[in-house]
Amino acid sequence: MSAPNGSAPVLRVDGLDVFYGGIQALRGVSLDVRKGELVTLIGCNGAGKSTTLKTVSGMLKPKAGKVVFQEQPIEGRPSHDIVRRGLALCPEGRRIFPNLTVDENLDLGAYIRSDRAEIRSDRDKMRGLFPILAERAKQLAGTLSGGEQQMLAIARALMSRPKLLMLDEPSLGLAPKLVEQIFQVLANLKREHVTILLVEQNARQALQVADRGYVLETGRIVKDGPARALADDPDVRKAYLGG
Amino acid sequence: MDFDKLLNFWGHHLVMAGVWIALALSLNLINGFTGLFSLGHQGFWGVGAYVTAVVLTVLPAEMGWADAGMLSFLMTFPLAMLVAALFGLIVGVPCLRMRGDYLAIATLGFGEIFRNIAINSEWLGTSQGLSVPNVFRAFLQEQIGLERMAARRAEMFFYIALSWAVALLTLLLLRNLMRSAHGRAITAIRDDETAAELLGVNLTRYKVLVFVLGAALAGLAGAVYANYQRYVSPNQFGFMQGVIFLVIVVMGGMGSFSGTILAALLIYAVPVFLTFAPDTWVIPIFYDPTQGGVVHRSLKDLWQVFFSLMLIIVVLLRPQGLMGNREFSLVKLWRRLFGKKSESASTSGEAGA
């Protein structure tokens, strides 16, 4: 809401250095995400994609660098505070609450909100977006299949009405058909103007759905640009798209 | 048997059972519902009991006040809660800011430190303990004008009612907490801390809140206990007592109120009923030729064996505890027993899931 002209980025990451003990995981990572964009961060295992998201969401503290969200510095703030500012992370491995029902999981997604009527209408909206969640509303979330759990995790993150949704490997460990479904969901969300930062190992499909992309290698951004240009880049093709 | 003897025997056990239920419930909030691991519940219980003794015995003597009256008696309950909560805050805040099992070690330490301070402090009565004046009986005899026997009976009924009222208060408070939005946040913390925090749940705040509330409720039970028992001493609040509360929580089901109540009653009642076993009921314990072969012991002395046996059986057959994380409900029971086939099938399906 604070950047109606869309010129100031929703999220700006500037020169991020992050360490795990003595090991440096990120080296001067900079990126930005504008309103309504779907930006993807691709790279191999251990390149620092998840580290980037964890740092932005407050689970890790950077040694140096800035994270600016809606023109407010948020680096080093606790996660629960960052969520309240409108930045939601749908974590790797889904992390739904298996012993709660699907509906209870969704309600927890709206934990930071108190507008009951709106929450209810958002829940209905999620059921429209993910029909499976309506079918399984009263079922324990642990009984859902992997793909259904991923849908629930995304819906739960959306229930906080984020101004930016960050997704960490939503296609991880899913059958090819379900991966297809997840990317269809992302395309739908983009059509609804949800601003998304997507981390994926599945570079081919991530670049198909994204507006822009960044390529991360051993903690450094080595390339960035429009998704289509990246998909056509010979180096990217060779390294991530199988030639 | 005459009425007063019965009342003394069963009344005592009813009061103590109520105290145990209250303590086990508040421990289940911390260990079962929130997934923290406290080993110091007996310490907070002891703090509440000692606060009561200090208010009614030590302070009047030290300050040269008149003997404690009804007002002091009534004040012991909120004061015990407050001081126990304060200790909960002091122990909890540094540990609960971190992840992992620091709390277990710190609470274990707290329980022992508290006990050792009491043992080594003249003003807390050292290992002899402190006696607590029977303020309520004095009130009944002097203010109400009851005669001695009537006052004794009234006092026993009062403490039965008080201890069960405290157990009920604890139950209602915790049940309402768990049914609120806060309760859902607490459940989320237990199931997955990281996911909870990513939804905006302030982990430290909730953990401290739960821990301090649990400590305060243990303190309240301590005040009831000290006023009833009229005596506090360090070895009443030893580590093994805390282990028994922990066993009750595990046995009843981490995250079930009805399971906790059931287990507390069971574990309290078994040794009580064993005292009725006739002396001729003996079982062979070990073989020792110097004592003339096989040595027998009366069932009366073997409650610890039953205690261990019950625990082994529960852990083998129902590792999730008697009730798991479900609650006993008359409505559900009715449906299961008398409901239509389809209904009972759907409820058991839910339970199995």
Side-chain angles (χ1 to χ4, degrees):
Chain A
M1 298 293 146
S2 63
N5 53 7
S7 64
V10 177
L11 175 75
R12 187 160 59 81
V13 174
D14 197 7
L16 222 48
D17 284 344
V18 177
F19 289 77
Y20 289 111
I23 298 158
Q24 188 162 8
L26 295 186
R27 298 163 191 270
V29 166
S30 299
L31 57 88
D32 54 51
V33 182
R34 283 160 206 285
K35 200 168 179 223
E37 264 188 326
L38 199 171
V39 174
T40 184
L41 190 56
I42 57 176
C44 302
N45 254 341
K49 308 182 300 288
S50 293
T51 306
T52 307
L53 289 198
K54 282 183 182 167
T55 310
V56 171
S57 68
M59 292 163 72
L60 294 172
K61 313 263 174 273
K63 195 154 248 180
K66 280 201 172 102
V67 181
V68 180
F69 182 62
Q70 298 197 303
E71 305 180 46
Q72 301 267 321
I74 57 164
E75 70 273 2
R77 305 281 317 157
S79 294
H80 57 86
D81 175 65
I82 289 174
V83 181
R84 281 174 197 276
R85 290 162 190 257
L87 213 170
L89 171 63
C90 179
E92 187 177 342
R94 310 185 274 268
R95 307 196 88 128
I96 49 126
F97 299 108
N99 298 317
L100 299 181
T101 65
V102 167
D103 272 357
E104 285 169 335
N105 267 274
L106 290 179
D107 286 347
L108 265 169
Y111 173 75
I112 57 170
R113 298 166 54 191
S114 51
D115 43 345
R116 286 190 179 212
E118 294 275 296
I119 291 173
R120 185 153 295 189
S121 88
D122 276 11
R123 198 163 78 181
D124 291 340
K125 213 167 121 188
M126 291 308 145
R127 288 174 173 175
L129 218 48
F130 308 97
I132 193 75
L133 300 184
E135 277 172 46
R136 306 240 191 269
K138 302 292 171 214
Q139 207 167 313
L140 291 184
T143 65
L144 300 186
S145 74
E148 292 164 354
Q149 288 187 9
Q150 187 61 57
M151 308 277 182
L152 176 59
I154 296 173
R156 186 182 63 178
L158 285 170
M159 286 296 288
S160 69
R161 285 206 177 166
K163 302 199 171 67
L164 171 62
L165 173 66
M166 301 192 292
L167 297 159
D168 196 351
E169 304 266 13
S171 74
L172 193 72
L174 297 183
K177 199 177 150 198
L178 290 168
V179 172
E180 217 46 72
Q181 260 183 47
I182 293 287
F183 278 98
Q184 191 54 51
V185 163
L186 295 183
N188 290 344
L189 291 177
K190 187 180 153 189
R191 214 168 298 131
E192 305 237 337
H193 306 292
V194 180
T195 311
I196 296 174
L197 175 57
L198 168 70
V199 155
E200 262 295 342
Q201 268 189 57
N202 193 332
R204 182 191 305 275
Q205 276 179 305
L207 288 174
Q208 264 172 25
V209 73
D211 297 306
R212 286 191 302 121
Y214 292 85
V215 181
L216 203 55
E217 248 171 46
T218 57
R220 256 184 260 271
I221 301 274
V222 292
K223 268 191 173 43
D224 69 277
R228 190 149 308 160
L230 283 178
D232 291 337
D233 185 292
D235 292 341
V236 174
R237 290 179 70 94
K238 199 166 163 215
Y240 303 104
L241 305 177
Chain B
M1 234 201 275
D2 72 299
F3 176 72
D4 284 297
K5 268 191 181 155
L6 279 175
L7 181 64
N8 273 347
F9 182 81
W10 290 111
H12 170 76
H13 290 310
L14 279 174
V15 174
M16 289 310 296
V19 169
W20 278 36
I21 289 173
L23 284 164
L25 283 172
S26 51
L27 183 63
N28 201 354
L29 171 71
I30 299 172
N31 287 24
F33 284 92
T34 319
L36 304 173
F37 196 67
S38 168
L39 288 171
H41 217 54
Q42 76 283 1
F44 297 109
W45 183 40
V47 166
Y50 266 86
V51 166
T52 305
V54 167
V55 169
L56 296 182
T57 307
V58 180
L59 273 184
E62 294 281 318
M63 311 295 269
W65 294 343
D67 280 350
M70 252 334 242
L71 184 65
S72 306
F73 173 76
L74 292 175
M75 284 304 290
T76 58
F77 301 101
L79 275 176
M81 284 181 88
L82 198 71
V83 177
L86 209 65
F87 276 101
L89 204 64
I90 293 168
V91 178
V93 166
C95 308
L96 295 168
R97 291 167 62 88
M98 296 180 283
R99 290 182 180 216
D101 292 330
Y102 301 99
L103 188 73
I105 295 163
T107 48
L108 175 63
F110 165 74
E112 287 306 291
I113 290 166
F114 157 74
R115 226 165 53 81
N116 280 290
I117 288 178
I119 289 173
N120 291 295
S121 300
E122 283 295 332
W123 70 285
L124 289 178
T126 65
S127 56
Q128 302 289 305
L130 293 167
S131 63
V132 178
N134 198 340
V135 179
F136 189 71
R137 173 106 56 92
F139 168 77
L140 288 178
Q141 286 180 252
E142 285 154 28
Q143 307 291 320
I144 309 283
L146 293 183
E147 55 172 308
R148 222 177 82 88
M149 276 319 285
R152 272 180 70 163
R153 287 178 186 172
E155 182 200 346
M156 187 52 98
F157 283 122
F158 167 75
Y159 277 111
I160 295 170
L162 181 67
S163 95
W164 283 81
V166 165
L168 189 68
L169 176 85
T170 306
L171 173 67
L172 292 180
L173 198 73
L174 299 188
R175 201 188 60 152
N176 284 353
L177 175 73
M178 290 315 295
R179 283 185 179 179
S180 70
H182 300 301
R184 227 178 284 137
I186 289 168
T187 309
I189 291 174
R190 179 187 65 187
D191 283 0
D192 190 334
E193 281 193 9
T194 305
E197 188 168 29
L198 286 173
L199 299 177
V201 177
N202 187 335
L203 296 183
T204 308
R205 210 181 75 186
Y206 270 106
K207 288 182 185 177
V208 170
L209 175 102
V210 159
F211 189 68
V212 168
L213 180 63
L217 289 170
L220 178 63
V224 174
Y225 176 70
N227 274 311
Y228 165 72
Q229 207 66 317
R230 284 183 284 124
Y231 172 66
V232 296
S233 73
N235 58 13
Q236 289 165 317
F237 310 106
F239 179 62
M240 275 318 289
Q241 190 59 56
V243 170
I244 290 179
F245 298 141
L246 193 66
V247 166
I248 292 174
V249 169
V250 173
M251 192 164 158
M254 313 272 276
S256 166
F257 293 121
S258 29
T260 303
I261 296 170
L262 192 69
L265 287 174
L266 205 65
I267 286 189
Y268 187 85
V270 166
V272 173
F273 283 103
L274 274 181
T275 58
F276 291 118
D279 286 326
T280 50
W281 289 16
V282 292
I283 53 173
I285 292 296
F286 54 84
Y287 181 79
D288 183 354
T290 64
Q291 293 189 40
V294 177
V295 177
H296 290 76
R297 281 274 186 283
S298 159
L299 273 182
K300 278 181 185 175
D301 305 329
L302 293 174
W303 80 267
Q304 272 135 325
V305 174
F306 282 88
F307 182 76
S308 319
L309 214 61
M310 280 196 298
L311 195 61
I312 291 170
I313 291 171
V314 168
V315 168
L316 280 180
L317 299 182
R318 276 192 76 80
Q320 72 275 44
L322 294 175
M323 297 292 289
N325 54 12
R326 280 174 294 152
E327 296 297 347
F328 175 77
S329 129
L330 280 177
V331 180
K332 270 192 202 155
L333 187 70
W334 178 268
R335 270 201 215 135
R336 183 166 295 188
L337 291 178
F338 306 107
K340 289 181 203 140
K341 258 268 144 58
S342 63
E343 260 179 21
S344 70
S346 78
T347 46
S348 63
E350 258 175 38

